[in-house]
Amino acid sequence: MAQAYMTETGSDGSDPEPSRTGLRRRLAALRRDPGIWRRGIVLAALAVLIALVMIFHAELPNDIGNLGSLTETFLPWLGLAVPLLFAAALFRKSATALIAILLTAAVWVNLFGGLVTDKAHAGGNLTVATHNVDADNADPAGTADSVAKAGADVLALTELKGSVVPVYEKALAGTYKYHSVEGTVGLWSKYPLVSSKPVDIKMGWTRAMRATVKTPHGEVAAFVAHLPSVRVKLNAGFTANQRDNSADALGAALAAEPLHRVILLGDLNGTVNDRALSEVTSQLRSTQGASGDGFGFSWPAPFPMARIDQILVRGVTPEASWTLPRTGSDHLPIAARVTVKP
């Protein structure tokens, strides 16, 4: 005969009062812990210092080793300190440190959160790309073929070694009918190029040029530039004085440009946050900042940490900006789609 088994509930038939969860017990223990506000003061101070550097980076002096420019080059990476400090604060059971770290996280999100999302728009009638091909590139033909497949209407190449320029010309001839090379920089285009000339950026040899691209939607002034390299040295800091002087000269050339539509492509050896490039960046708009997907870091190619290759525009509308697959260079190629209004 079947029997029904029932669990006894107590004398009054009601369930026993549920016990506190482990989380509730831990929270209660923390509330009773008088050291929760005193522990982690050093962690809190470090978090506040990082937040202040992000907020007031423009005030950091450049007189000593170009400290300000060095910090601004890698400024987004300060966000990596947030999860590390957060884990340390949890381990220390410090409410003071946690609050300070949340403040630092809020500052980072305010400065860089908008760069994380994809801001691309549909449309665009001109696609441009730029690539520092690396003078020591062991596969220039393969590099040229790779960037040609990106479908850009206008392609800028920098760090062109004179002996391999014919290799690039041959590899790109089937895609681009027009091209011009000045010194170590060059411009390839599906549309006619006129008024091509070097731009003096105070280096003693040609590493910048300007040409007019006659697109179906109107003329565009295309500048290609490769600013001097920078180095980080223990005894000298961020050695960028020559780069800074060349940036000022490039800024003067951009300011004197008579055409309304301007596109600057190339390796500026600096990010748009770097105040030393302000003579250039104050006049133009970054396609990556306006319409990119993520930070768009382009260097070094094996593990990109900074966007020192740039596409900056004036008088045209950025619609999308992205990095291209790695080639034989130590830089990643970058591309952008813009709208040129008649």
Side-chain angles (χ1 to χ4, degrees):
M1 176 172 120
Q3 292 181 325
Y5 293 90
M6 299 181 63
T7 302
E8 294 183 1
T9 59
S11 58
D12 59 357
S14 61
D15 292 331
E17 182 180 349
S19 61
R20 289 181 174 179
T21 65
L23 177 61
R24 288 177 178 175
R25 285 197 302 270
R26 283 191 289 270
L27 290 175
L30 287 175
R31 285 195 295 269
R32 294 193 299 268
D33 182 359
I36 192 171
W37 299 103
R38 293 196 298 268
R39 287 192 300 269
I41 298 300
V42 174
L43 290 174
L46 182 57
V48 170
L49 176 61
I50 293 172
L52 290 175
V53 169
M54 288 192 288
I55 295 172
F56 299 108
H57 62 86
E59 306 304 321
L60 292 174
N62 249 356
D63 298 333
I64 303 174
N66 288 299
L67 177 63
S69 288
L70 176 60
T71 302
E72 288 164 342
T73 298
F74 300 103
L75 197 61
W77 290 95
L78 289 179
L80 286 180
V82 171
L84 297 176
L85 291 174
F86 187 79
L90 289 178
F91 179 77
R92 292 282 290 145
K93 299 179 181 179
S94 170
T96 302
L98 285 172
I99 292 173
I101 293 162
L102 289 175
L103 169 66
T104 305
V107 171
W108 190 92
V109 170
N110 181 63
L111 290 175
F112 303 110
L115 296 176
V116 176
T117 59
D118 187 355
K119 300 174 293 300
H121 312 105
N125 52 23
L126 183 70
T127 300
V128 298
T130 183
H131 189 27
N132 178 325
V133 296
D134 187 358
D136 297 322
N137 193 326
D139 184 21
T143 295
D145 182 65
S146 177
V147 292
K149 290 178 180 177
D153 301 305
V154 177
L155 170 66
L157 300 182
T158 63
E159 206 168 297
L160 289 167
K161 185 185 291 186
S163 60
V164 297
V165 167
V167 176
Y168 286 101
E169 290 176 329
K170 180 179 179 181
L172 295 171
T175 304
Y176 299 99
K177 185 177 180 179
Y178 309 93
H179 83 280
S180 176
V181 175
E182 302 284 354
T184 61
V185 298
L187 193 65
W188 277 257
S189 175
K190 295 178 180 179
Y191 306 123
L193 296 176
V194 297
S195 304
S196 177
K197 63 181 181 180
V199 174
D200 183 10
I201 55 173
K202 312 301 181 186
M203 291 190 64
W205 70 96
T206 301
R207 290 200 358 175
M209 64 175 289
R210 180 253 183 232
T212 298
V213 184
K214 299 178 74 67
T215 81
H217 316 286
E219 294 186 343
V220 176
F223 284 78
V224 184
H226 183 195
L227 297 188
S229 300
V230 297
R231 298 288 186 270
V232 180
K233 300 179 180 179
L234 291 177
N235 62 341
F238 195 55
T239 56
N241 292 337
Q242 188 178 19
R243 191 255 346 235
D244 299 349
N245 293 335
S246 290
D248 291 344
L250 178 59
L254 290 167
E257 172 55 49
L259 287 182
H260 172 64
R261 308 182 192 92
V262 178
I263 299 178
L264 169 62
L265 308 114
D267 175 6
L268 302 190
N269 269 306
T271 70
V272 293
N273 292 319
D274 189 340
R275 94 268 314 255
L277 300 184
S278 61
E279 291 297 321
V280 173
T281 55
S282 63
Q283 302 183 56
L284 305 172
R285 188 181 184 190
S286 165
T287 59
Q288 187 67 24
S291 60
D293 181 6
F295 289 98
F297 295 146
S298 62
W299 177 90
F303 187 83
M305 297 182 64
R307 185 179 177 87
I308 62 175
D309 301 275
Q310 306 291 348
I311 300 175
L312 307 176
V313 300
R314 180 175 75 206
V316 302
T317 304
E319 305 291 0
S321 187
W322 62 96
T323 57
L324 296 170
R326 185 179 175 184
T327 69
S329 171
D330 58 341
H331 291 242
L332 293 180
I334 62 173
R337 190 174 67 251
V338 302
T339 296
V340 180
K341 297 180 180 179

